[in-house]
Coordinates of all heavy atoms in Angstrom, one line a residue:
M1 N 0.8 -1.2 0.0 CA 0.0 0.0 0.0 C 0.9 1.2 0.0 O 1.9 1.3 0.7 CB -0.9 0.0 1.2 CG -1.8 1.2 1.3 SD -2.9 1.2 2.7 CE -3.9 -0.2 2.3
P2 N 0.6 2.2 -0.8 CA 1.4 3.4 -0.9 C 1.4 4.2 0.4 O 0.4 4.2 1.1 CB 0.8 4.2 -2.0 CG -0.1 3.3 -2.8 CD -0.5 2.2 -1.8
L3 N 2.5 4.9 0.7 CA 2.6 5.8 1.8 C 2.1 7.2 1.4 O 2.2 7.5 0.2 CB 4.0 5.9 2.3 CG 4.7 4.6 2.8 CD1 6.1 4.9 3.1 CD2 4.0 4.1 4.1
L4 N 1.6 7.9 2.3 CA 1.2 9.3 2.1 C 2.2 10.2 2.7 O 2.5 10.1 3.9 CB -0.2 9.6 2.7 CG -0.6 11.1 2.5 CD1 -0.7 11.5 1.0 CD2 -1.9 11.3 3.2
E5 N 2.8 11.1 1.9 CA 3.9 12.0 2.3 C 3.4 13.4 2.1 O 3.0 13.7 1.0 CB 5.2 11.8 1.6 CG 6.3 12.7 2.0 CD 7.6 12.4 1.3 OE1 8.0 11.2 1.3 OE2 8.1 13.3 0.6
V6 N 3.4 14.2 3.1 CA 2.9 15.6 3.0 C 4.2 16.5 2.9 O 5.0 16.5 3.8 CB 2.1 16.1 4.2 CG1 1.7 17.5 4.0 CG2 0.8 15.2 4.3
N7 N 4.4 17.2 1.7 CA 5.5 18.0 1.4 C 5.4 19.3 2.1 O 4.4 20.1 1.8 CB 5.7 18.1 -0.1 CG 7.0 18.7 -0.5 OD1 8.0 18.5 0.2 ND2 7.1 19.4 -1.6
S8 N 6.3 19.7 3.0 CA 6.2 20.9 3.8 C 6.3 22.1 2.8 O 7.0 22.1 1.8 CB 7.4 21.0 4.7 OG 7.5 22.3 5.3
T9 N 5.6 23.2 3.2 CA 5.6 24.4 2.4 C 7.0 25.1 2.5 O 7.3 25.9 1.6 CB 4.5 25.4 2.9 OG1 4.8 25.7 4.3 CG2 3.1 24.9 2.7
Q10 N 7.8 24.7 3.4 CA 9.1 25.3 3.6 C 10.1 24.5 2.7 O 11.3 24.9 2.7 CB 9.5 25.3 5.0 CG 8.6 26.2 5.8 CD 8.9 26.1 7.3 OE1 9.8 25.4 7.7 NE2 8.3 27.0 8.1
S11 N 9.7 23.4 2.1 CA 10.6 22.6 1.3 C 11.0 23.3 0.0 O 10.2 24.1 -0.5 CB 9.9 21.3 1.0 OG 10.7 20.5 0.0
S12 N 12.2 23.0 -0.5 CA 12.6 23.6 -1.7 C 11.9 23.0 -3.0 O 11.9 23.5 -4.0 CB 14.1 23.5 -1.9 OG 14.5 22.1 -1.9
Q13 N 11.3 21.8 -2.8 CA 10.6 21.1 -3.8 C 9.2 21.7 -4.0 O 8.5 22.0 -3.0 CB 10.4 19.6 -3.5 CG 11.7 18.8 -3.6 CD 11.4 17.4 -3.3 OE1 10.7 17.0 -2.3 NE2 11.9 16.5 -4.1
Q14 N 8.8 22.0 -5.2 CA 7.5 22.5 -5.5 C 6.6 21.4 -6.1 O 6.6 21.3 -7.3 CB 7.6 23.7 -6.5 CG 8.4 24.9 -5.9 CD 7.6 25.5 -4.8 OE1 6.4 25.7 -4.8 NE2 8.4 25.8 -3.7
I15 N 6.0 20.6 -5.3 CA 5.2 19.4 -5.7 C 3.8 19.7 -5.2 O 3.6 19.8 -4.0 CB 5.8 18.1 -5.2 CG1 7.2 17.8 -5.7 CG2 4.8 17.0 -5.6 CD1 7.8 16.6 -5.1
I16 N 2.8 19.7 -6.1 CA 1.4 19.9 -5.7 C 0.9 18.5 -5.4 O 0.4 18.3 -4.3 CB 0.6 20.5 -6.8 CG1 1.1 22.0 -7.0 CG2 -0.9 20.5 -6.4 CD1 0.5 22.7 -8.1
A17 N 1.0 17.5 -6.3 CA 0.6 16.2 -6.0 C 1.4 15.3 -7.0 O 1.6 15.6 -8.1 CB -0.9 16.0 -6.2
Q18 N 1.9 14.1 -6.5 CA 2.7 13.2 -7.3 C 2.6 11.8 -6.7 O 2.4 11.6 -5.5 CB 4.1 13.7 -7.2 CG 5.1 12.8 -8.0 CD 6.5 13.3 -7.8 OE1 7.0 13.5 -6.6 NE2 7.3 13.4 -8.9
F19 N 2.5 10.8 -7.7 CA 2.6 9.4 -7.3 C 3.9 8.9 -7.7 O 4.4 9.0 -8.8 CB 1.5 8.6 -8.0 CG 1.6 7.2 -7.7 CD1 1.4 6.6 -6.4 CD2 1.9 6.3 -8.7 CE1 1.5 5.3 -6.2 CE2 2.0 4.9 -8.5 CZ 1.8 4.4 -7.2
N20 N 4.6 8.3 -6.7 CA 5.9 7.7 -7.0 C 5.8 6.2 -6.9 O 5.6 5.6 -5.8 CB 6.9 8.2 -5.9 CG 8.3 7.8 -6.1 OD1 8.6 6.8 -6.8 ND2 9.3 8.5 -5.5
P21 N 5.9 5.5 -8.0 CA 5.6 4.0 -8.0 C 6.8 3.1 -7.7 O 6.8 1.9 -8.0 CB 5.1 3.8 -9.4 CG 5.9 4.8 -10.2 CD 6.1 6.0 -9.3
H22 N 7.9 3.6 -7.2 CA 9.1 2.8 -7.0 C 9.0 1.7 -6.0 O 7.9 1.4 -5.7 CB 10.3 3.8 -6.7 CG 10.6 4.7 -7.8 ND1 11.1 4.3 -9.1 CD2 10.4 6.1 -8.0 CE1 11.2 5.3 -9.9 NE2 10.8 6.4 -9.2
L23 N 10.1 1.2 -5.5 CA 10.0 0.0 -4.6 C 9.0 0.2 -3.4 O 8.3 -0.7 -3.1 CB 11.4 -0.2 -4.0 CG 12.4 -0.7 -5.0 CD1 13.8 -0.9 -4.4 CD2 12.0 -2.0 -5.7
Q24 N 9.1 1.4 -2.8 CA 8.1 1.7 -1.8 C 7.2 2.8 -2.3 O 7.5 3.9 -2.2 CB 8.7 2.1 -0.4 CG 7.7 2.5 0.6 CD 6.7 1.5 0.9 OE1 7.0 0.4 1.3 NE2 5.4 1.8 0.8
P25 N 6.0 2.4 -3.0 CA 5.2 3.5 -3.6 C 4.7 4.5 -2.6 O 4.5 4.2 -1.4 CB 4.0 2.7 -4.2 CG 4.3 1.3 -4.0 CD 5.5 1.1 -3.1
K26 N 4.6 5.7 -3.0 CA 4.1 6.8 -2.1 C 3.4 7.9 -2.9 O 3.7 8.1 -4.1 CB 5.2 7.4 -1.2 CG 6.3 8.1 -1.9 CD 7.3 8.6 -0.9 CE 8.6 9.0 -1.6 NZ 9.6 9.5 -0.6
I27 N 2.5 8.5 -2.3 CA 1.7 9.6 -2.8 C 2.2 10.8 -2.1 O 2.2 10.9 -0.8 CB 0.2 9.4 -2.6 CG1 -0.3 8.2 -3.4 CG2 -0.5 10.7 -3.1 CD1 -1.7 7.8 -3.0
I28 N 2.7 11.8 -2.8 CA 3.2 13.0 -2.2 C 2.3 14.2 -2.5 O 1.9 14.4 -3.7 CB 4.6 13.4 -2.8 CG1 5.6 12.2 -2.6 CG2 5.2 14.6 -2.2 CD1 6.9 12.3 -3.4
V29 N 1.8 14.9 -1.5 CA 1.0 16.1 -1.7 C 1.6 17.3 -1.0 O 2.2 17.1 0.0 CB -0.5 15.8 -1.2 CG1 -1.1 14.7 -2.1 CG2 -0.5 15.5 0.2
D30 N 1.3 18.4 -1.5 CA 1.8 19.7 -0.9 C 1.0 19.9 0.4 O -0.2 19.6 0.5 CB 1.6 20.8 -1.9 CG 2.1 22.1 -1.4 OD1 3.3 22.3 -1.4 OD2 1.3 23.0 -1.0
E31 N 1.6 20.5 1.3 CA 1.0 20.8 2.6 C -0.3 21.7 2.5 O -1.3 21.5 3.1 CB 2.0 21.5 3.6 CG 1.4 21.7 5.0 CD 2.5 22.3 5.9 OE1 3.6 22.7 5.4 OE2 2.2 22.3 7.1
K32 N -0.2 22.7 1.6 CA -1.3 23.6 1.3 C -2.5 22.8 0.7 O -3.7 23.0 1.1 CB -0.9 24.7 0.4 CG 0.0 25.7 1.0 CD 0.3 26.8 0.1 CE 1.3 27.8 0.6 NZ 1.6 28.9 -0.3
L33 N -2.2 21.9 -0.2 CA -3.3 21.1 -0.8 C -3.9 20.2 0.3 O -5.1 20.0 0.4 CB -2.7 20.2 -1.9 CG -3.7 19.2 -2.5 CD1 -4.9 19.9 -3.2 CD2 -3.0 18.3 -3.6
Y34 N -3.1 19.6 1.1 CA -3.6 18.7 2.2 C -4.5 19.5 3.1 O -5.6 19.0 3.5 CB -2.4 18.1 2.9 CG -2.8 17.2 4.1 CD1 -3.2 15.9 3.9 CD2 -2.9 17.7 5.4 CE1 -3.6 15.1 4.9 CE2 -3.3 16.9 6.5 CZ -3.7 15.6 6.2 OH -4.1 14.8 7.3
D35 N -4.1 20.7 3.5 CA -4.9 21.5 4.4 C -6.2 21.9 3.8 O -7.2 21.9 4.4 CB -4.1 22.8 4.8 CG -2.9 22.5 5.7 OD1 -2.8 21.4 6.3 OD2 -2.0 23.4 5.8
K36 N -6.2 22.2 2.5 CA -7.5 22.5 1.8 C -8.4 21.3 1.8 O -9.6 21.5 2.1 CB -7.2 23.0 0.3 CG -6.6 24.3 0.2 CD -7.7 25.4 0.2 CE -7.0 26.7 -0.2 NZ -7.9 27.8 0.2
C37 N -7.9 20.2 1.5 CA -8.7 19.0 1.4 C -9.3 18.6 2.7 O -10.5 18.2 2.8 CB -7.9 17.8 0.8 SG -7.5 18.1 -1.0
T38 N -8.5 18.7 3.8 CA -9.0 18.3 5.1 C -10.0 19.3 5.6 O -10.8 19.0 6.5 CB -7.9 18.1 6.1 OG1 -7.1 19.3 6.2 CG2 -7.0 17.0 5.7
G39 N -10.1 20.5 5.0 CA -11.0 21.5 5.4 C -12.4 21.3 4.8 O -13.4 22.0 5.2
F40 N -12.6 20.4 3.8 CA -13.9 20.2 3.2 C -14.7 19.4 4.2 O -14.3 18.5 4.9 CB -13.7 19.4 1.9 CG -13.1 20.1 0.8 CD1 -12.2 19.5 -0.1 CD2 -13.3 21.5 0.6 CE1 -11.6 20.1 -1.1 CE2 -12.7 22.2 -0.4 CZ -11.9 21.5 -1.3
D41 N -16.0 19.7 4.1 CA -17.0 18.8 4.8 C -18.0 18.3 3.8 O -18.0 18.7 2.7 CB -17.6 19.5 6.0 CG -18.5 20.8 5.6 OD1 -18.7 21.0 4.4 OD2 -18.9 21.5 6.5
A42 N -18.9 17.5 4.2 CA -19.9 16.9 3.3 C -20.7 17.9 2.6 O -21.0 17.8 1.4 CB -20.7 15.8 4.0
D43 N -21.1 18.9 3.3 CA -22.0 20.0 2.7 C -21.3 20.7 1.6 O -21.8 21.0 0.6 CB -22.4 21.0 3.8 CG -23.4 20.4 4.8 OD1 -24.1 19.4 4.4 OD2 -23.6 20.9 5.9
M44 N -20.0 21.0 1.8 CA -19.2 21.7 0.8 C -19.1 20.9 -0.5 O -19.2 21.4 -1.6 CB -17.9 22.2 1.3 CG -17.9 23.2 2.4 SD -16.3 23.5 3.1 CE -15.5 24.4 1.7
I45 N -18.8 19.6 -0.3 CA -18.6 18.7 -1.4 C -19.9 18.6 -2.2 O -20.0 18.6 -3.4 CB -18.1 17.3 -1.0 CG1 -16.7 17.5 -0.4 CG2 -18.1 16.3 -2.1 CD1 -16.2 16.3 0.3
G46 N -21.0 18.5 -1.5 CA -22.4 18.4 -2.1 C -22.7 19.6 -2.9 O -23.2 19.6 -4.0
M47 N -22.3 20.8 -2.3 CA -22.6 22.1 -3.0 C -21.8 22.2 -4.3 O -22.3 22.7 -5.3 CB -22.3 23.3 -2.1 CG -23.4 23.4 -1.0 SD -23.2 24.8 0.1 CE -21.6 25.6 -0.3
A48 N -20.6 21.7 -4.3 CA -19.7 21.7 -5.4 C -20.2 20.9 -6.5 O -20.0 21.1 -7.7 CB -18.3 21.3 -5.1
Q49 N -20.9 19.8 -6.2 CA -21.4 18.8 -7.2 C -22.8 19.2 -7.7 O -23.3 18.6 -8.6 CB -21.4 17.4 -6.6 CG -20.0 16.9 -6.3 CD -20.0 15.6 -5.6 OE1 -21.0 15.1 -5.2 NE2 -18.8 15.0 -5.6
T50 N -23.5 20.1 -7.1 CA -24.8 20.5 -7.4 C -24.8 21.2 -8.8 O -24.1 22.1 -9.0 CB -25.5 21.4 -6.4 OG1 -25.4 20.6 -5.1 CG2 -26.9 21.7 -6.7
D51 N -25.7 20.8 -9.6 CA -25.9 21.4 -10.9 C -27.3 21.9 -11.0 O -28.2 21.4 -10.4 CB -25.6 20.4 -12.0 CG -25.5 21.1 -13.4 OD1 -26.6 21.5 -13.9 OD2 -24.4 21.1 -14.0
K52 N -27.5 23.0 -11.7 CA -28.9 23.6 -11.9 C -29.8 22.7 -12.7 O -31.0 22.9 -12.7 CB -28.8 25.0 -12.4 CG -27.9 25.9 -11.6 CD -28.6 26.2 -10.3 CE -27.8 27.2 -9.4 NZ -28.2 27.2 -8.1
T53 N -29.2 21.9 -13.6 CA -30.1 21.0 -14.4 C -30.4 19.7 -13.8 O -29.5 19.1 -13.1 CB -29.4 20.8 -15.8 OG1 -28.2 20.1 -15.6 CG2 -29.1 22.1 -16.5
A54 N -31.6 19.3 -13.9 CA -32.0 18.0 -13.3 C -31.5 16.8 -14.2 O -31.6 17.0 -15.4 CB -33.5 17.9 -13.0
I55 N -31.1 15.7 -13.6 CA -30.7 14.6 -14.4 C -31.6 13.4 -14.0 O -32.1 13.4 -12.8 CB -29.3 14.2 -14.3 CG1 -28.9 13.8 -12.8 CG2 -28.4 15.3 -14.8 CD1 -27.5 13.3 -12.7
S56 N -31.8 12.5 -14.9 CA -32.7 11.4 -14.6 C -32.0 10.4 -13.7 O -30.8 10.4 -13.5 CB -33.1 10.7 -15.9 OG -32.0 10.0 -16.4
K57 N -32.8 9.5 -13.1 CA -32.2 8.5 -12.2 C -31.2 7.6 -13.0 O -30.2 7.1 -12.5 CB -33.3 7.6 -11.6 CG -34.0 8.3 -10.5 CD -35.1 7.4 -9.8 CE -35.8 8.2 -8.7 NZ -36.8 7.3 -8.0
T58 N -31.6 7.3 -14.3 CA -30.7 6.5 -15.1 C -29.4 7.2 -15.3 O -28.3 6.5 -15.2 CB -31.4 6.2 -16.5 OG1 -32.7 5.6 -16.2 CG2 -30.5 5.3 -17.3
E59 N -29.4 8.5 -15.7 CA -28.2 9.2 -15.9 C -27.3 9.2 -14.6 O -26.1 9.1 -14.6 CB -28.5 10.6 -16.3 CG -29.0 10.7 -17.7 CD -29.4 12.1 -18.1 OE1 -30.2 12.7 -17.3 OE2 -29.0 12.6 -19.2
K60 N -28.0 9.5 -13.5 CA -27.3 9.5 -12.2 C -26.6 8.1 -11.9 O -25.5 8.1 -11.5 CB -28.2 9.9 -11.1 CG -27.6 10.0 -9.7 CD -28.5 10.5 -8.7 CE -27.7 10.7 -7.4 NZ -28.5 11.2 -6.3
S61 N -27.4 7.1 -12.2 CA -26.8 5.7 -11.9 C -25.6 5.5 -12.8 O -24.6 4.9 -12.4 CB -27.9 4.7 -12.2 OG -27.4 3.4 -12.1
M62 N -25.7 5.9 -14.1 CA -24.6 5.7 -15.0 C -23.3 6.5 -14.5 O -22.2 6.1 -14.6 CB -25.0 6.2 -16.4 CG -25.9 5.2 -17.1 SD -26.6 5.7 -18.7 CE -25.3 6.5 -19.5
L63 N -23.6 7.7 -14.0 CA -22.5 8.5 -13.5 C -21.8 7.9 -12.3 O -20.6 7.9 -12.1 CB -22.9 9.9 -13.2 CG -23.3 10.8 -14.3 CD1 -24.0 12.1 -13.9 CD2 -22.1 11.1 -15.2
E64 N -22.7 7.3 -11.4 CA -22.1 6.6 -10.2 C -21.3 5.4 -10.6 O -20.2 5.2 -10.0 CB -23.3 6.1 -9.3 CG -24.0 7.3 -8.6 CD -23.2 7.9 -7.5 OE1 -22.3 7.3 -7.0 OE2 -23.4 9.1 -7.3
V65 N -21.7 4.6 -11.6 CA -21.0 3.5 -12.0 C -19.6 3.9 -12.6 O -18.6 3.4 -12.4 CB -21.8 2.6 -13.1 CG1 -20.9 1.6 -13.7 CG2 -23.0 2.0 -12.4
E66 N -19.7 5.0 -13.4 CA -18.5 5.5 -14.0 C -17.5 6.0 -13.0 O -16.3 5.8 -13.0 CB -18.8 6.7 -15.0 CG -17.6 7.3 -15.7 CD -18.0 8.4 -16.6 OE1 -19.2 8.6 -17.0 OE2 -17.1 9.2 -16.9
A67 N -18.0 6.7 -11.9 CA -17.1 7.1 -10.8 C -16.5 5.9 -10.1 O -15.4 6.0 -9.7 CB -18.0 8.0 -9.9
D68 N -17.3 4.8 -9.9 CA -16.8 3.6 -9.3 C -15.6 3.0 -10.1 O -14.6 2.7 -9.5 CB -17.9 2.6 -9.1 CG -18.9 3.0 -8.0 OD1 -18.6 3.9 -7.2 OD2 -20.0 2.4 -8.0
Y69 N -15.8 2.9 -11.4 CA -14.8 2.4 -12.2 C -13.5 3.2 -12.2 O -12.4 2.7 -12.1 CB -15.3 2.2 -13.7 CG -16.2 1.0 -13.9 CD1 -17.3 1.2 -14.7 CD2 -16.0 -0.2 -13.2 CE1 -18.2 0.1 -14.9 CE2 -16.9 -1.2 -13.4 CZ -17.9 -1.1 -14.3 OH -18.8 -2.1 -14.5
F70 N -13.7 4.5 -12.3 CA -12.6 5.4 -12.2 C -11.8 5.3 -10.9 O -10.6 5.3 -10.9 CB -13.0 6.9 -12.5 CG -11.9 7.9 -12.6 CD1 -11.0 7.9 -13.7 CD2 -11.6 8.7 -11.5 CE1 -10.0 8.8 -13.7 CE2 -10.6 9.6 -11.5 CZ -9.8 9.6 -12.6
G71 N -12.6 5.3 -9.8 CA -12.0 5.1 -8.5 C -11.2 3.8 -8.4 O -10.1 3.8 -7.8
M72 N -11.8 2.7 -8.9 CA -11.0 1.4 -8.8 C -9.8 1.5 -9.7 O -8.7 1.0 -9.3 CB -12.0 0.3 -9.3 CG -13.1 0.0 -8.4 SD -14.2 -1.3 -9.0 CE -13.1 -2.6 -9.4
F73 N -9.9 2.1 -10.9 CA -8.7 2.2 -11.8 C -7.6 3.0 -11.1 O -6.5 2.7 -11.1 CB -9.2 2.8 -13.1 CG -8.0 2.9 -14.1 CD1 -7.4 1.8 -14.6 CD2 -7.6 4.2 -14.4 CE1 -6.4 1.9 -15.5 CE2 -6.5 4.3 -15.4 CZ -5.9 3.2 -15.9
S74 N -8.0 4.2 -10.5 CA -7.0 5.0 -9.9 C -6.4 4.3 -8.7 O -5.2 4.5 -8.5 CB -7.7 6.3 -9.4 OG -8.2 7.1 -10.5
G75 N -7.2 3.6 -7.9 CA -6.6 2.8 -6.8 C -5.7 1.8 -7.2 O -4.6 1.6 -6.6
F76 N -6.0 1.1 -8.4 CA -5.1 0.1 -8.9 C -3.8 0.7 -9.3 O -2.7 0.2 -9.0 CB -5.8 -0.6 -10.1 CG -4.9 -1.5 -10.9 CD1 -4.5 -2.7 -10.4 CD2 -4.3 -1.1 -12.1 CE1 -3.7 -3.6 -11.1 CE2 -3.5 -1.9 -12.8 CZ -3.2 -3.2 -12.3
L77 N -3.8 1.9 -10.0 CA -2.6 2.6 -10.5 C -1.8 3.0 -9.3 O -0.6 3.1 -9.4 CB -3.0 3.8 -11.4 CG -3.5 3.5 -12.7 CD1 -3.9 4.8 -13.5 CD2 -2.6 2.7 -13.6
A78 N -2.4 3.4 -8.2 CA -1.7 3.8 -7.0 C -1.1 2.7 -6.2 O -0.4 2.9 -5.2 CB -2.6 4.7 -6.1
G79 N -1.4 1.4 -6.6 CA -0.8 0.3 -5.9 C -1.7 -0.4 -4.9 O -1.2 -1.3 -4.2
Y80 N -3.0 0.0 -4.7 CA -3.9 -0.6 -3.8 C -4.3 -1.9 -4.3 O -4.5 -2.1 -5.5 CB -5.1 0.3 -3.5 CG -4.7 1.5 -2.7 CD1 -4.4 2.7 -3.3 CD2 -4.6 1.4 -1.3 CE1 -4.1 3.8 -2.5 CE2 -4.3 2.5 -0.5 CZ -4.0 3.7 -1.2 OH -3.7 4.8 -0.4
E81 N -4.6 -2.9 -3.4 CA -5.1 -4.2 -3.8 C -6.6 -4.1 -3.9 O -7.3 -4.5 -3.0 CB -4.6 -5.3 -2.9 CG -3.1 -5.4 -2.8 CD -2.7 -6.5 -1.9 OE1 -3.5 -7.3 -1.5 OE2 -1.5 -6.4 -1.5
I82 N -7.1 -3.6 -5.0 CA -8.6 -3.3 -5.1 C -9.4 -4.6 -5.1 O -10.6 -4.5 -4.8 CB -8.9 -2.4 -6.3 CG1 -8.4 -3.1 -7.6 CG2 -8.2 -1.0 -6.1 CD1 -8.9 -2.4 -8.8
W83 N -8.9 -5.7 -5.6 CA -9.7 -6.9 -5.7 C -9.8 -7.7 -4.4 O -10.6 -8.5 -4.3 CB -9.1 -7.8 -6.8 CG -8.9 -7.1 -8.1 CD1 -7.8 -6.8 -8.7 CD2 -9.9 -6.5 -8.9 NE1 -8.0 -6.1 -9.9 CE2 -9.3 -5.9 -10.0 CE3 -11.3 -6.4 -8.8 CZ2 -10.0 -5.2 -11.0 CZ3 -12.0 -5.7 -9.8 CH2 -11.4 -5.2 -10.8
S84 N -8.9 -7.3 -3.4 CA -9.0 -8.1 -2.2 C -9.9 -7.6 -1.1 O -10.0 -8.1 0.0 CB -7.6 -8.2 -1.6 OG -7.2 -6.9 -1.2
G85 N -10.6 -6.5 -1.5 CA -11.6 -5.9 -0.6 C -11.0 -5.0 0.5 O -11.6 -4.6 1.4
G86 N -9.7 -4.6 0.3 CA -9.2 -3.7 1.3 C -7.9 -3.3 0.9 O -7.0 -2.7 0.9

């Protein structure tokens, strides 16, 4: 499983987000990005996803399935064992 490394804002490296797939895979994120993401709550995420146009239940279901596949694929690329259930 990849390690999560938060890159200090005082570091000389300017990395916003990076996946390093070497012997010990790790995900590197900038401290400012990490702080922004941890500041989100469920209401803010819901507001960001709200669209003024209504979509049908079928369209919503298709979007959910697409998001699931994309999440699984991203997890696989990041080195997670997605088929083992954890």
Side-chain angles (χ1 to χ4, degrees):
M1 180 178 295
L3 298 173
L4 176 62
E5 179 180 305
V6 179
N7 194 28
S8 171
T9 56
Q10 297 174 355
S11 172
S12 62
Q13 291 181 310
Q14 296 295 317
I15 297 173
I16 296 173
Q18 179 184 47
F19 174 66
N20 186 339
H22 297 293
L23 293 176
Q24 176 56 56
K26 63 182 168 180
I27 299 169
I28 305 167
V29 295
D30 184 75
E31 186 176 10
K32 289 180 183 178
L33 175 63
Y34 178 82
D35 291 342
K36 287 277 189 196
C37 292
T38 57
F40 291 145
D41 62 11
D43 290 337
M44 292 174 70
I45 294 169
M47 288 183 351
Q49 295 174 347
T50 302
D51 190 291
K52 301 293 181 194
T53 59
I55 61 173
S56 71
K57 287 184 180 182
T58 304
E59 289 173 310
K60 184 174 181 179
S61 178
M62 288 173 38
L63 290 172
E64 289 290 334
V65 170
E66 183 179 340
D68 290 343
Y69 285 141
F70 182 74
M72 288 176 56
F73 180 69
S74 297
F76 172 76
L77 290 178
Y80 289 95
E81 297 179 23
I82 60 171
W83 305 117
S84 66

